[in-house]
Amino acid sequence: MTNAAITRAHIEAAHARIAPHVRRTPSWTLPGAFGHDGPVSLKLEFLQHAGSFKTRGAFNTLLSKPVPAAGVAAASGGNHGAAVAYAAKQLGLKARIFVPEISSPAKIAVIRSHGADVVIGGARYADAQAACDRYVAESGALRIHPFDADATIAGQGTVALEWEADAAPLDTVLIAVGGGGLISGVASWWAGRVKVVGVEPEGSRALHAALEAGKPVDVDVDSIAADSLGARNTGDLVYSICGNSVDHVALVTDEAIRQAQAQLWRDWRIATEPGGATALAALTSGAYKPKPGERVGVLLCGANVELAKLDSVVQSLA
């Protein structure tokens, strides 16, 4: 597939398909916030069902593809699995979710709360994906890929469709990147009209590495955000879209992510996981420096955080 495979028309069709099943999350424009003199528009996607944007792609996949009797299967650091479990439950489908050992207990609890079978094993996301692939081959279940699939990307792109319709015009949007499904959908919607900037942890930079190498490459993963932004490789479809439509990728430290998490809680009472605060960390740390008056959008993408860990982060930075 090429970038032409994901068009605005595909995203519009995905939105019509999933609208009865997902929340139209609010956007919130703050003048002069986070050290920037211009407006900052926050898309509050952490309020989505199952705690992240991934519910959009899950529903779009399940509503646009035939599902076998064996049900569906997915590998996940946590949020994708929670989204697939939630969507499957709402549609009356069986789901089995494979998660690595680094997955947050809070995320595993969310997956189980939606009735899915959970299989825990392997040190990293790639290990869970390998186990999922084996199960799919044996059972015939439908595999729902977390990022490098057309239905997933089109579903994630609906967040940009809503943002554009509901908020004031934007010059730039900052999007956290794990495997790249979210930024691929956003870039497919806004290509050539709004500057799309990816944000990755320094220790988990699959898209940054791919753009540098001119192709998808494997990377080592070591970050506090690894359970949501811990993909080792973007995949071909994500790379082809982002190579054409993403301006660049900013890298942020784990400390900057912690600071953004703490600021969101301290100043706005918004509880986010590390991955959910990563896009904001680019703005608050200076990894992305907007021009004076630039209209900046920040996607807050995930809320599945252990509150005890969030409290620990806040106390350590007090």
Side-chain angles (χ1 to χ4, degrees):
M1 283 189 172
T2 65
N3 189 19
I6 311 295
T7 66
R8 285 166 59 86
H10 289 123
I11 294 170
E12 288 168 341
H15 191 261
R17 190 178 294 122
I18 71 175
H21 304 281
V22 302
R23 290 176 179 148
R24 190 177 185 111
T25 55
S27 56
W28 186 14
T29 299
L30 305 172
F34 306 110
H36 177 45
D37 68 347
V40 177
S41 174
L42 302 180
K43 176 64 168 167
L44 307 183
E45 189 63 9
F46 63 90
L47 296 173
Q48 190 54 259
H49 291 299
S52 84
F53 69 94
K54 287 182 178 287
T55 300
R56 297 172 181 271
F59 269 114
N60 193 46
T61 301
L62 293 178
L63 292 169
S64 60
K65 296 182 181 295
V67 179
V72 300
S76 172
N79 285 340
H80 176 60
V84 171
Y86 174 81
K89 181 180 180 181
Q90 296 304 307
L91 298 175
L93 302 169
K94 295 187 296 184
R96 179 168 292 188
I97 310 299
F98 295 79
V99 299
E101 294 160 3
I102 63 167
S103 291
S104 157
K107 294 183 179 182
I108 293 173
V110 172
I111 296 169
R112 287 188 168 132
S113 75
H114 296 308
D117 293 330
V118 180
V119 180
I120 303 172
R124 298 289 177 182
Y125 164 76
D127 303 313
Q129 185 65 67
C132 178
D133 291 345
R134 289 192 296 272
Y135 172 73
V136 167
E138 294 166 0
S139 68
L142 174 66
R143 186 185 78 153
I144 304 182
H145 198 279
F147 51 87
D148 200 42
D150 55 355
T152 299
I153 292 170
Q156 316 308 26
T158 63
V159 74
L161 178 157
E162 290 181 4
W163 204 354
E164 182 172 40
D166 295 347
L170 297 169
D171 299 312
T172 303
V173 290
L174 303 179
I175 308 295
V177 180
L182 174 61
I183 196 170
S184 295
V186 169
S188 294
W189 179 257
W190 264 318
R193 300 184 301 121
V194 172
K195 182 168 70 174
V196 178
V197 176
V199 185
E200 290 182 302
E202 287 184 347
S204 183
R205 54 172 77 188
L207 182 56
H208 186 275
L211 295 177
E212 274 193 331
K215 62 180 180 180
V217 293
D218 288 343
V219 298
D220 294 330
V221 175
D222 184 13
S223 169
I224 60 166
D227 68 340
S228 57
L229 306 181
R232 289 182 182 173
N233 190 302
T234 63
D236 293 331
L237 180 55
V238 166
Y239 171 73
S240 71
I241 293 172
C242 294
N244 290 326
S245 302
V246 170
D247 185 80
H248 71 282
V249 175
L251 297 176
V252 295
T253 65
D254 280 357
E255 178 62 17
I257 294 170
R258 291 188 185 95
Q259 292 279 357
Q261 266 190 294
Q263 185 172 358
L264 281 168
W265 177 249
R266 184 187 66 237
D267 296 346
W268 308 99
R269 284 301 183 257
I270 294 174
T272 62
E273 61 192 278
T278 293
L280 181 63
L283 184 62
T284 55
S285 70
Y288 179 76
K289 294 181 170 59
K291 296 176 182 177
E294 184 175 340
R295 299 168 299 184
V296 178
V298 179
L299 182 59
L300 302 181
C301 59
N304 290 319
V305 61
E306 292 179 66
L307 295 180
K309 285 189 175 181
L310 177 61
D311 181 65
S312 176
V313 167
V314 172
Q315 295 301 324
S316 70
L317 298 174

